[in-house]
Amino acid sequence: MTAIDPQQSVRGAPTIRTIAMPADTNPAGDIFGGWLLGQMDLAAGAAAARRAKGRCATIAIDAMQFLKPVFVGDEVTLYAELVHVGRTSMKISVEAWRRSRESEDTEQVTRGLFTFVAIDAQRRPRAIDRPEPQTDA
């Protein structure tokens, strides 16, 4: 797995904001890590599709850290940032933060690094358009 630098935060505009519900719990009554991982994959997928201007597929979770628990009723905010673009693939860093319903305080609960590949209509890898180089006028 690739290391995640705890000093680097991807916070900017939220990609997804949701509420952890009782249906999202494991048998012990805690929010299921798989639910949170799924939310992170959705956030990374949204960022990937926006950059690739089309369909993308998750091909790897390169790093994942569960830092603190999420509780039923917490507002969960996910932030996604594109950190690398290759010919057909992208790496996206995702952070999840929780806020209790009764508070304005937030804390980071997870972080992960996801790799997506842009795919065509036949679900085969396709090239990602490169942005035009910036020129000074």
Side-chain angles (χ1 to χ4, degrees), residues 25-134:
T25 61
N26 62 25
D30 301 318
I31 294 300
F32 181 52
W35 175 81
L36 193 52
L37 179 65
Q39 298 299 310
M40 294 176 75
D41 190 43
L42 288 170
R50 188 176 313 121
R51 174 58 183 87
K53 296 180 178 49
R55 190 171 182 173
C56 296
T58 309
I59 59 167
I61 300 173
D62 302 300
M64 187 70 202
Q65 292 178 320
F66 292 92
L67 307 170
K68 296 190 177 181
V70 174
F71 304 102
V72 171
D74 282 353
E75 177 183 271
V76 178
T77 304
L78 297 112
Y79 301 90
E81 179 184 49
L82 189 67
V83 294
H84 175 77
V85 178
R87 193 180 73 75
T88 62
S89 66
M90 298 158 275
K91 288 197 181 288
I92 298 156
S93 180
V94 180
E95 292 181 359
W97 291 69
R98 69 171 283 275
R99 182 188 64 79
S100 170
R101 294 179 72 94
E102 299 84 29
S103 174
E104 292 301 317
D105 297 333
T106 61
E107 65 180 339
Q108 187 178 5
V109 293
T110 62
R111 60 179 163 242
L113 184 63
F114 293 72
T115 301
F116 277 75
V117 66
I119 56 176
D120 63 18
Q122 288 73 45
R123 296 182 173 90
R124 289 190 294 261
R126 66 171 175 83
I128 299 168
D129 291 336
R130 293 292 196 182
E132 293 294 321
Q134 297 290 327

